[in-house]
Amino acid sequence: MITRLDHIAVAVPDFAAAIARFRDDLGLELEGTEDVAAAQTQTAFFAVAAAHIELIHPLDGGGPVQGFLDKRGGGLHHLCFETDDILADMARLKAKGYRLLSEAPTVGAHGSLVVFIHPKSADGVLIELTQRSA
Ligand code: CO
């Protein structure tokens, strides 16, 4: 079951400059940065009252985020909702005809389990579901 909005992710072409913008210019608290090798992505998370802002940047010059930046030059990348049972939600959504980007959850930031819903199944918006590690 979906329990809440977890974070909004912004793909950024200059990771350090974007971190400085959100931390120094906007005054948000930088919780930390993490490389997510499985997604070829660097992440930075900022605490805000209701959810998080996630900055994502290619980890090694390749991967899906690089493809997004090449095409779009940065911008809003995906919405992420927290779930308390990712496998049940995947099965439920698949049964409703949603296209998922992976057959099984993958490991995301914070060691969470994540899966993405294809934008073609959601009006052009990439949606991530995340289940926190216990
Ligand atoms: Co995310």
Side-chain angles (χ1 to χ4, degrees):
M1 183 196 297
I2 302 297
T3 53
R4 64 184 187 91
L5 177 68
D6 187 84
H7 62 262
I8 294 168
V10 181
V12 298
D14 186 330
F15 195 51
I19 288 173
R21 179 180 318 114
F22 279 85
R23 183 189 53 204
D24 304 332
D25 301 345
L26 300 176
L28 299 186
E29 179 197 344
L30 175 65
E31 292 182 310
T33 61
E34 179 182 344
D35 293 346
V36 183
Q40 293 178 262
T41 303
Q42 294 177 290
T43 70
F45 281 87
F46 298 86
V48 293
H52 303 84
I53 303 293
E54 176 188 27
L55 305 181
I56 54 176
H57 181 79
L59 178 60
D60 56 11
V65 176
Q66 185 64 60
F68 180 92
L69 291 173
D70 289 345
K71 235 186 283 178
R72 315 262 290 264
L76 190 61
H77 188 263
H78 62 269
L79 302 182
C80 178
F81 295 96
E82 184 172 355
T83 172
D84 57 9
D85 190 341
I86 196 168
L87 293 176
D89 281 321
M90 289 174 69
R92 187 173 54 81
L93 292 168
K94 273 168 81 171
K96 286 175 177 279
Y98 280 84
R99 191 167 141 200
L100 306 180
L101 292 193
S102 60
E103 284 299 313
T106 60
V107 176
H110 318 307
S112 59
L113 293 177
V114 304
V115 70
F116 288 88
I117 299 168
H118 196 288
K120 286 207 161 92
S121 292
D123 295 322
V125 177
L126 180 62
I127 294 176
E128 177 184 16
L129 302 182
T130 184
Q131 182 175 348
R132 300 267 168 191
S133 51

